Structures are given as structure tokens and as C-alpha cells.
Amino acid sequence: MDLPLVVGVDGSDVSLLAVDWAADEAARCGLPLLLVYASLWERYEGAVQPDTGERPSEQVMAETILATAAERAQRRDPEAKVSTQVVPEEAVDALLHESHRAFALVTGSHGRGGLTGLLLGSVSLAVAGRAHCPVIVVRGGAAGDRERILLGVGDHAACGEAVRFAFREAEARGCMLDAVRAWRRPAHKAADHLLIAGEPGHQHERQASELLDAALREAVAEHPSVRVRRTTVEGPAREALLTRSGSADLVIVGARRRHGHHGLQFGPVAHALLHHADCPVAVVPEEG
């Protein structure tokens, strides 16, 4: 049985855009869609609800939000297998719990209770930094018509799952995979560069290109139909990926998960993309 694509919904316009994105993704990958609404109404409102025969207002709201989202997904793809679930937990706990049995989690960039001035909501940030499956935060341009997947390639040992996820996405969409690795010359080499024109830069660029090829080699063999463009860029990785995110349908980066560590587990590149990218962002957990 295929694991579902799980979407966190809360009735906000942003979460409905996440439903749209997830419905398209489920159709591409042949996945069932599970819409999740987190609510503690039974713990609070249910405990004091008088026996009047009327349903608690929070229960009615939860059912309405899920029904609206399910109808929207079904309109988007009439063949979609859509199910809904009210989870009696806080939103972050509910989605992290679902991440153990999901193909991926999809959230909006901020929720119904968030401040519109914030670049990224606390729920999306927490889930992206702690989930056990890939998390897609739908932000920026989400139309999906740019026909390009952008992959940030870091250390080979820390990006294997992200690479595999990116190749599956590009294959499912029939689009280009733009694999980018950034490199920077050490500070003392920057001074040498003034004396020996180009030599240190060429050395580090060549090393970055070799590491990029090594990181992609296995996935290239497994997905021969995927068109890959390899790019090495001098400078900070976050700047290289942010600049290119405006021409991508999805940007993908890995995030190493360390056992026993309970805080947010992603680096500055993923953090910058989640807050500033011009397209949806996928953060893929890597064991290590």
C-alpha cells in the first residue's frame, strides 16, 4: 500500500494553496492524499459542552474545514483518493506523528493563526526541522509551470535522500533537474589569487565538480530519462539557490537528522530557502 501524501490544513488561504499543490503531486506520483486538521476541541470544549444535543462548534469547524479542503482537492483531480482526519493534538505534534507513515508532508508557509508579516509560520518551520519524511512548504510561485526542479547538493554523505527525491520528482514531471553545488576558496587562497591568477579558483571549482558528479552518479544510472544540468557556483550556497528559485517549480535540499537531538535540524541554507525562496521548498531528512 502506498504511503499517503499528508497535507496540514487549517482553513487559511495559504493551506488551501498547499492542498492544490499536494493534489497535483498526488496525481503525478499516483499517491493517496490525506488531509489532516489538528484540533484539541475534545480536550477543552468537549469537556464543558452541555448536553444539548448540539455538536460542539469546534467540531463543526474542523469538519467544515476538512470538507472544504477535500472538495477542493477532488475538483483539482477527480480521480484522487482523498481521505480526511481530525487529530486531537497540537498542529506540530500531529504532523510530526503523521510523518512516520507519510510519503511526504505538505504545509503552507503560514497558518490561520499566524501573523501575516512573518516570513514563515512556526508550525511549518518546526515540522520542516524535525519530520521523519520529506516536508514541502508551499511558498512563492507555486504554479508548477517552470519545468525545472532545483537541487542543492551539499556533502555527498549528507544529501543522498535529497538527490533520490529530486530525481523522482523530475522524472514524475518529465522536466529538467538543475543540480547546483556551491564552492568557496579558503580565505588564504583568496589572497594567493591576486598573485597566481585563477589557479586556486580552478582547483576548488574542479573539486566541487567532482563531488557533484559523485553525489549524482547512482541516481543518474537509476533514472536515465532525467535531463540533468550540473552547475558549480562560487559563493554561498543559499545565495545561489535563492537566485535560481524564481525559475524553479520546487527547490530541494537535505537536512541531516541526529539521533537524540530534539531541536530544529537543518542548516542555514534550508533556513534561508524556507524564509525567502520564490518557489515551494522541500526539506528531505538525511540520517547521520
Side-chain angles (χ1 to χ4, degrees):
M1 184 176 179
D2 290 328
L3 293 175
L5 188 61
V6 177
V7 191
V9 299
D10 63 4
S12 66
D13 290 342
V14 172
S15 80
L16 291 177
L17 291 178
V19 170
D20 291 344
W21 191 96
D24 292 345
E25 177 76 356
R28 278 190 293 266
C29 301
L31 298 171
L33 198 58
L34 174 60
L35 310 179
V36 172
Y37 179 79
S39 172
L40 294 173
W41 72 267
E42 289 179 305
R43 181 182 301 178
Y44 300 112
E45 187 174 353
V48 298
Q49 185 73 16
D51 187 13
T52 62
E54 296 182 359
R55 291 186 300 158
S57 60
E58 181 66 25
Q59 180 185 12
V60 172
M61 183 173 72
E63 293 173 353
T64 300
I65 286 173
L66 283 173
T68 300
E71 181 183 357
R72 186 177 179 113
Q74 211 75 65
R75 286 200 309 268
R76 192 89 175 182
D77 176 19
E79 302 299 320
K81 298 177 181 178
V82 183
S83 58
T84 62
Q85 183 178 357
V86 178
V87 180
E89 296 181 80
E90 297 286 357
V92 171
D93 294 334
L95 293 174
L96 291 178
H97 184 74
E98 293 297 329
S99 75
H100 287 279
R101 50 177 181 263
F103 171 80
L105 291 176
V106 183
T107 74
S109 56
H110 56 81
R112 179 162 53 95
L115 299 175
T116 56
L118 295 180
L119 294 174
L120 185 70
S122 59
V123 171
S124 299
L125 189 66
V127 172
R130 294 165 55 194
H132 299 275
C133 69
V135 175
I136 297 94
V137 177
V138 179
R139 57 165 297 113
D145 56 2
R146 297 163 178 168
E147 299 186 347
R148 187 179 302 276
I149 296 294
L150 177 60
L151 168 66
V153 180
D155 294 336
H156 186 188
C159 68
E161 291 300 322
V163 169
R164 283 186 280 274
F165 187 84
F167 270 80
R168 287 196 299 267
E169 280 293 316
E171 187 171 64
R173 297 165 183 258
C175 72
M176 172 75 72
L177 175 61
D178 189 5
V180 177
R181 180 178 174 89
W183 61 276
R184 302 179 76 171
R185 71 186 78 212
H188 68 280
K189 292 292 186 183
D192 293 346
H193 179 66
L194 297 176
L195 300 176
I196 309 175
E199 183 179 346
H202 287 313
Q203 176 186 350
H204 292 292
E205 185 176 15
R206 183 171 61 252
Q207 183 181 35
S209 181
E210 291 170 354
L211 291 171
L212 179 58
D213 288 341
L216 301 179
R217 187 172 295 118
E218 184 176 331
V220 166
E222 293 175 352
H223 302 271
S225 66
V226 174
R227 295 167 293 143
V228 182
R229 186 175 75 175
R230 298 168 171 85
T231 305
T232 56
V233 181
E234 183 177 8
R238 60 180 178 273
E239 292 182 10
L241 295 173
L242 285 172
T243 298
R244 288 164 171 76
S245 68
S247 59
D249 293 315
L250 178 68
V251 56
I252 300 168
V253 290
R256 187 173 294 181
R257 299 288 193 256
R258 294 176 174 82
H259 295 293
H261 185 84
H262 301 292
L264 297 182
Q265 297 190 58
F266 50 64
V269 175
H271 189 271
L273 289 169
L274 287 167
H275 283 84
H276 301 290
D278 290 322
C279 68
V281 178
V283 178
V284 181
E286 307 276 358
E287 292 299 324

